[in-house]
Amino acid sequence: MADELTLKKLPYGISDFRDFLVKDLYYVDKSRFIRNIEEKGSFLFIIRPRRFGKSLFLSMMEYYYDIFQKNKFDELFKDTYIHKNPTTEKNNYMVLKFNFSEIFPESMRVNDSFVFYVKETVINFVEKYEKYLDINIKEAKTEISARTNASDVLRVFLKYCSGKKYKLYIIIDEYDNFANTILSSSGEDIFKQMTHGEGFLRAFFNVIKAGTTGSDTPISRLFMTGVSPITLDDVTSGFNIATNISLDNDIDEIMGFTSAEVETLIDYYSQTRKIIHSKRELMDILERWYSHYRFSLNSTHEVFNTVHVWYFFREYLKESCIPTDLIDRNARIDYNKLRHLIIIDKKGILNTNGNFSRLQEIIEKNSVQSYIKEGFSILQLSEQENFYSLLYYFGLLTITGTSLSRQAILSVPNEFVKRLYYDFLKETLQEVYSFNIDMSSFYKLYEEMAFHGKWQGLIGYIGERMQQSLSLRDLMHEEKTHQVFWNAYLGLSTLYNIHSEKEMNQGYADLVMEPLLFQNPGIKYSYIIEIKYIKPIEFEKFEKKVWEAKILEIQKEGKAQLDKYSADEKFMKSIGHTTLKKLILVFSGNRLVFHS
């Protein structure tokens, strides 16, 4: 049994490749993909979801290609694939690296922030590579500092880099970070001012493109990452040289962890006594919550979200137990910044942009079918294929198959993403439909339901709030709408996995509440819920005797369905020691008119 102090530390939140050596952190080697990247072309662009290891991979590339790090290659890359199998371009460039997440994303200050950041970055560059540039550094810094916009700064800088022995490798991390934030917080008009016409971001990429052509061209290679193709598409006439390699099959595992890599990680930290669950138990949880991402139509491989796995182990190793909250708060914040791109079109006021109903459909069906578009403008986001493609790039949908026409079958990858959809729906109902609930009361009533079987309190509370919200009246117009609504709100708690249209015993249950017993072994009750809907115009015509007869009919039908579902052996095994309760909820418009 190894001493915990002798094991490598967890690298949660670390994105500098050198830190893994200096701080003795656990490293999952992805250097084998460097050769693939070199073979794909000189100017490349890859999209991966948030918190997927993009920054670390770019940091590794920076150290690998940097002529300044040549004497440290053996030290930095020992025990990696690329150390044993280096390419001819190793340590053969001056590397100019930008990280656009460092730009201050406030619409009135973003231009100044961008100019300051670009200026600071290139000045640091000329100081670092002074002996390779063979220029008057003082003169260069003075001329660069005198420029008042980012494109001019870059143009002057590239002039000093032209005709040198070592060419430039430009690396841009999170190229769309501040642009996406401005788009979601300030709207399309401000975004278009940056990316169209004479916009400063468009002009910046124009200069980069100009630096890739000509006899003394200073830029030899470029590699960029982001979370969507929107910004690049909107500056595309100024920068149409980058090849999008996001869907290439041979690099589908370039970022993220494979199952084998996660199992090796578990084995490594099992050398301490802090891991008390079996490997299979841990893999079941990790796969359900953080895995099943595929990044190619032909891929047979699934990968885990890197940072989420590290978050899990950081929390688990504190007290040798499954984290109470399996969603990293930082990740939730990251995705919330993108919510307006997904659901809301913000032009001074909040309006659903046509994608809200598509979001509901995804929650209901768990999958859609669509071609994945490699590029599209923000102006085209309301088009269905573009919207589904955006969700794919964000990691909110993933490839699970292909149709006969080679469309992608896109599904919700895991429980983490499912919970994000619940959050998106809840926030949209609050902002657009003014539907609010007291979350403190909600969680108390939820505990009563889970641990004491008193479900009437929670169901009744949400039902009352639905009826009081007149703005929901037109939204809640069919059984499927209610199914999505309750799926989302019951999914706000971490006590249960919520399944919609779950196949059980050759039928499909409307809602199933499967307890998360690994995290919450004290849960005593599980639930299957059947939802029925009566049109308001029909409900208003019911006399008492007719209503009583209708309810008896609904109860009989619902009971038969619930009894059939509850005979599913696999499900009954999954709920363990808990007592199963079977509920019938009847709605008319936005009113809960009966429950049993």
Side-chain angles (χ1 to χ4, degrees):
M1 193 68 66
D3 187 331
E4 183 183 353
L5 295 177
T6 67
L7 295 179
K8 294 183 180 296
K9 300 177 182 65
L10 296 169
Y12 176 83
I14 304 298
S15 57
D16 189 322
F17 179 71
R18 184 174 177 272
D19 283 347
F20 283 78
L21 172 68
V22 173
K23 299 178 181 179
D24 195 29
L25 304 175
Y26 189 104
Y27 179 66
V28 177
D29 183 23
K30 296 289 183 177
S31 65
R32 66 186 184 278
F33 293 104
I34 284 178
R35 190 175 296 276
N36 300 66
I37 289 172
E38 287 188 6
E39 293 171 352
K40 289 182 179 297
S42 298
F43 311 110
L44 305 174
F45 170 53
I46 188 169
I47 303 170
R48 284 295 185 266
R50 294 269 182 159
R51 305 177 72 77
F52 228 86
K54 298 188 294 294
S55 295
L56 175 59
F57 188 85
L58 292 191
S59 179
M60 178 192 68
M61 290 180 65
E62 179 183 8
Y63 283 103
Y64 180 77
Y65 287 108
D66 192 352
I67 181 63
F68 200 77
Q69 304 292 339
K70 185 173 184 179
N71 294 333
K72 297 181 181 179
F73 176 76
D74 291 334
E75 176 187 5
L76 289 169
F77 286 90
K78 64 179 180 180
D79 300 325
T80 65
Y81 173 89
I82 204 67
H83 184 263
K84 301 172 184 175
N85 305 277
T87 66
T88 57
E89 298 191 42
K90 172 180 72 72
N91 299 125
N92 204 38
Y93 294 91
M94 296 183 292
V95 179
L96 176 64
K97 184 181 179 185
F98 295 106
N99 183 346
F100 283 2
S101 68
E102 296 184 28
I103 311 301
F104 187 71
E106 198 277 316
S107 60
M108 300 301 293
R109 297 167 57 189
V110 65
N111 190 5
D112 291 341
S113 177
F114 190 64
V115 174
F116 177 81
Y117 174 74
V118 172
K119 192 177 294 186
E120 182 181 50
T121 301
V122 299
I123 287 176
N124 289 339
F125 178 97
V126 296
E127 291 176 341
K128 175 181 177 180
Y129 294 104
E130 179 178 359
K131 70 176 183 178
Y132 301 107
L133 291 171
D134 190 27
I135 59 175
N136 185 317
I137 296 298
K138 184 177 180 180
E139 176 186 306
K141 289 170 64 175
T142 299
E143 188 175 3
I144 290 169
S145 298
R147 305 300 165 173
T148 58
N149 62 68
S151 56
D152 282 347
V153 169
L154 188 62
R155 188 177 291 108
V156 170
F157 164 75
L158 292 178
K159 177 188 71 175
Y160 285 108
C161 295
S162 296
K164 306 304 177 184
K165 176 181 178 181
Y166 293 102
K167 300 293 185 179
L168 287 177
Y169 199 134
I170 295 183
I171 294 175
I172 304 180
D173 192 12
E174 300 197 52
Y175 92 96
D176 54 347
N177 184 286
F178 72 91
N180 282 341
T181 301
I182 285 177
L183 179 58
S184 64
S185 62
S186 301
E188 291 180 14
D189 291 342
I190 303 298
F191 177 83
K192 284 188 285 187
Q193 288 175 22
M194 296 190 306
T195 59
H196 292 71
E198 301 300 317
F200 70 83
L201 193 57
R202 185 189 189 97
F204 178 82
F205 280 107
N206 268 336
V207 175
I208 290 182
K209 180 182 177 181
T212 64
T213 58
S215 57
D216 285 332
T217 175
I219 303 173
S220 181
R221 283 189 175 272
L222 176 140
F223 193 82
M224 294 197 307
T225 69
V227 298
S228 86
I230 291 176
T231 302
L232 189 62
D233 195 83
D234 280 320
V235 299
T236 190
S237 63
F239 189 75
N240 55 4
I241 59 170
T243 301
N244 188 343
I245 61 172
S246 305
L247 294 170
D248 289 8
N249 188 48
D250 62 328
I251 58 165
D252 55 351
E253 297 176 5
I254 191 172
M255 296 159 194
F257 291 161
T258 66
S259 291
E261 288 166 341
V262 175
E263 288 182 358
T264 300
L265 190 160
I266 294 172
D267 289 338
Y268 181 80
Y269 287 103
S270 291
Q271 295 178 74
T272 72
R273 290 189 174 90
K274 287 201 167 186
I275 291 185
I276 61 175
H277 292 80
S278 70
K279 184 191 295 186
R280 186 64 264 162
E281 287 174 328
L282 292 178
M283 288 298 293
D284 284 345
I285 296 171
L286 292 165
E287 286 171 357
R288 175 178 285 190
W289 281 83
Y290 310 130
S291 187
H292 307 306
Y293 296 96
R294 292 185 182 178
F295 296 109
S296 168
L297 289 176
N298 299 316
S299 175
T300 57
H301 308 122
E302 296 182 346
V303 293
F304 294 74
N305 182 298
T306 306
V307 178
H308 297 168
V309 170
W310 286 127
Y311 163 79
F312 176 90
F313 279 98
R314 184 191 71 172
E315 297 302 305
Y316 180 94
L317 292 174
K318 288 178 181 178
E319 298 180 0
S320 297
C321 63
I322 307 300
T324 301
D325 191 350
L326 287 162
I327 297 181
D328 183 356
R329 179 178 178 274
N330 292 326
R332 196 187 291 271
I333 292 172
D334 278 349
Y335 275 98
N336 198 49
K337 293 176 183 177
L338 303 174
R339 184 171 56 86
H340 285 286
L341 292 180
I342 300 167
I343 305 172
I344 304 296
D345 181 15
K346 195 163 186 174
K347 295 181 179 178
I349 58 173
L350 289 173
N351 293 299
T352 54
N353 64 0
N355 289 328
F356 183 67
S357 59
R358 293 172 185 151
L359 181 78
Q360 291 177 290
E361 180 186 8
I362 290 168
I363 295 175
E364 174 195 337
K365 297 181 179 179
N366 204 50
S367 67
V368 293
Q369 189 169 301
S370 174
Y371 290 110
I372 298 175
K373 304 293 285 292
E374 290 196 11
F376 46 89
S377 167
I378 185 60
L379 303 176
Q380 301 168 317
L381 186 53
S382 61
E383 296 178 16
Q384 180 168 293
E385 284 187 347
N386 295 338
F387 176 66
Y388 290 145
S389 296
L390 182 66
L391 295 184
Y392 160 75
Y393 287 121
F394 281 171
L396 298 173
L397 290 173
T398 197
I399 300 169
T400 54
T402 55
S403 69
L404 294 176
S405 60
R406 297 296 291 168
Q407 284 186 312
I409 299 171
L410 300 170
S411 304
V412 178
N414 50 50
E415 195 67 27
F416 167 83
V417 173
K418 190 189 296 184
R419 301 303 170 113
L420 290 179
Y421 279 119
Y422 298 157
D423 284 346
F424 293 155
L425 184 61
K426 169 179 168 287
E427 295 297 324
T428 303
L429 290 175
Q430 286 179 338
E431 293 184 33
V432 181
Y433 296 97
S434 302
F435 180 77
N436 294 288
I437 62 173
D438 177 3
M439 293 308 295
S440 177
S441 299
F442 171 86
Y443 288 126
K444 288 179 182 177
L445 292 170
Y446 211 124
E447 288 183 1
E448 288 289 305
M449 187 174 185
F451 296 100
H452 303 290
K454 298 178 181 179
W455 55 269
Q456 296 89 342
L458 181 65
I459 300 299
Y461 173 68
I462 298 178
E464 288 174 8
R465 292 296 303 120
M466 283 176 57
Q467 186 170 340
Q468 291 167 5
S469 179
L470 297 178
S471 58
L472 285 184
R473 184 173 291 170
D474 294 331
L475 183 67
M476 314 300 283
H477 56 79
E478 60 180 9
E479 182 178 310
K480 292 296 183 184
T481 309
H482 283 277
Q483 189 172 312
V484 170
F485 175 91
W486 286 87
N487 188 347
Y489 273 87
L490 292 174
L492 293 176
S493 169
T494 58
L495 297 176
Y496 291 89
N497 276 331
I498 309 299
H499 305 280
S500 176
E501 291 292 318
K502 182 177 177 62
E503 185 174 2
M504 299 173 68
N505 198 23
Q506 299 182 329
Y508 293 89
D510 287 342
L511 292 175
V512 175
M513 298 175 66
E514 178 187 354
L516 292 167
L517 294 174
F518 277 145
Q519 299 97 302
N520 307 282
I523 293 177
K524 294 183 178 179
Y525 294 89
S526 305
Y527 294 87
I528 304 177
I529 302 174
E530 190 67 20
I531 291 176
K532 302 295 182 183
Y533 185 80
I534 301 172
K535 293 181 180 179
I537 192 170
E538 295 179 3
F539 178 73
E540 291 168 2
K541 293 179 179 179
F542 284 144
E543 296 178 356
K544 183 178 180 181
K545 288 185 178 180
V546 176
W547 171 241
E548 290 175 348
K550 181 67 174 177
I551 284 297
L552 287 174
E553 178 186 337
I554 289 173
Q555 283 184 300
K556 182 178 180 181
E557 178 186 356
K559 184 177 183 303
Q561 290 173 299
L562 291 168
D563 288 345
K564 177 181 179 180
Y565 304 146
S566 63
D568 187 278
E569 293 182 4
K570 184 177 179 181
F571 169 70
M572 293 305 294
K573 183 178 180 180
S574 73
I575 67 174
H577 62 270
T578 61
T579 299
L580 178 64
K581 285 184 174 285
K582 295 173 280 189
L583 310 182
I584 299 171
L585 307 182
V586 183
F587 297 91
S588 181
N590 64 333
R591 297 172 60 192
L592 174 61
V593 296
F594 179 81
H595 56 69
S596 69

